[in-house]
Amino acid sequence: MEIIKTGDEKNIRFRDYQFKIFFMTSNKNQILFVLAFNCLVTARGKTERYNEMLTTHTLRNLVIAGFLGEISFEIYAWLVSPILFGVALGPANLVIALIKIASGVTVPYWAGFLVHFTIGVIGFSGFVWLTHILARTSLILSGVIAGFILWFVAQGLLAPVVGRTFMMGFGPYTQSSFIGHVGMATLIGYVMVSLQRRQALNK
């Protein structure tokens, strides 16, 4: 704990948190009034983490990692999944079904694919980063956590919306989807770590 006095104000810092304490003096004794504290606002560790989200380097890393993660997902979905599980993954079909339910419009497959690809590049990488910020875990572990959540959202929440069973009965498609989502998000975390290390070496 560190106490810094400035006039009638003292800032008490405990680890990453800072509290403001003000003193008022009476005739007989000194009365201490805790008027306010701003531990969440001035938490240095968290502030630095949130500021990182606003840097150009971080945004660029998110796009690069998301792009590579999505490319790897599509390669797995079309080439590897049929070999391992006997079924190709088609998340674009889920997107098409959701758009039709929401708007009544049936979009072509290429449009559904483009929407999912864009969400994968920007949304999935952003979700890995957000998990890293909130859970305060490593980027690779955050990728594993984020991938699991994304898999559950796709198969457990969105699939029933378009008329499929919960988790699609935990069949081959769901099992393959698990590997696809967790693998993609973990790769995103790994790429982001690698890019950060490269930037640190170039400084």
Side-chain angles (χ1 to χ4, degrees):
M1 180 180 292
E2 177 186 1
I3 301 179
I4 304 172
K5 184 173 182 180
T6 305
D8 291 331
E9 175 183 334
K10 284 187 178 181
N11 292 325
I12 296 181
R13 290 179 180 174
F14 179 72
R15 294 182 181 176
D16 288 335
Y17 302 95
Q18 176 174 312
F19 300 85
K20 290 184 181 295
I21 295 181
F22 299 86
F23 290 86
M24 295 181 63
T25 304
S26 66
N27 294 330
K28 294 184 178 181
N29 55 13
Q30 189 179 60
I31 303 175
L32 183 149
F33 288 87
V34 179
L35 299 181
F37 65 91
N38 59 346
C39 62
L40 295 179
V41 176
T42 60
R44 291 176 296 175
K46 290 186 178 181
T47 301
E48 290 174 0
R49 282 170 168 256
Y50 289 131
N51 288 340
E52 288 179 18
M53 296 181 65
L54 303 178
T55 65
T56 302
H57 288 302
T58 300
L59 294 177
R60 184 190 66 181
N61 291 349
L62 286 175
V63 173
I64 294 174
F67 181 80
L68 294 177
E70 182 60 28
I71 288 293
S72 69
F73 179 86
E74 296 300 336
I75 293 175
Y76 170 82
W78 292 101
L79 300 180
V80 181
S81 180
I83 297 176
L84 296 179
F85 295 93
V87 59
L89 300 180
N93 293 322
L94 177 61
V95 173
I96 293 171
L98 290 172
I99 293 177
K100 184 174 183 180
I101 292 175
S103 64
V105 177
T106 302
V107 299
Y109 184 85
W110 66 265
F113 179 88
L114 183 61
V115 170
H116 182 267
F117 192 90
T118 303
I119 293 174
V121 172
I122 301 175
F124 291 175
S125 61
F127 188 63
V128 171
W129 185 250
L130 182 62
T131 302
H132 168 63
I133 295 295
L134 297 179
R136 308 197 73 168
T137 53
S138 68
L139 279 166
I140 295 178
L141 179 57
S142 297
V144 175
I145 297 172
F148 179 85
I149 295 174
L150 291 170
W151 167 73
F152 180 80
V153 169
Q155 304 301 318
L157 301 181
L158 297 181
V161 171
V162 299
R164 301 171 185 173
T165 58
F166 175 74
M167 301 302 292
M168 297 182 66
F170 289 95
Y173 190 97
T174 302
Q175 298 170 33
S176 180
S177 177
F178 174 81
I179 295 178
H181 283 87
V182 174
M184 172 192 63
T186 303
L187 178 61
I188 288 175
Y190 174 78
V191 172
M192 291 173 68
V193 169
S194 300
L195 292 173
Q196 287 180 344
R197 290 175 178 172
R198 179 177 297 182
Q199 290 171 2
L201 292 175
N202 293 333
K203 288 183 178 179

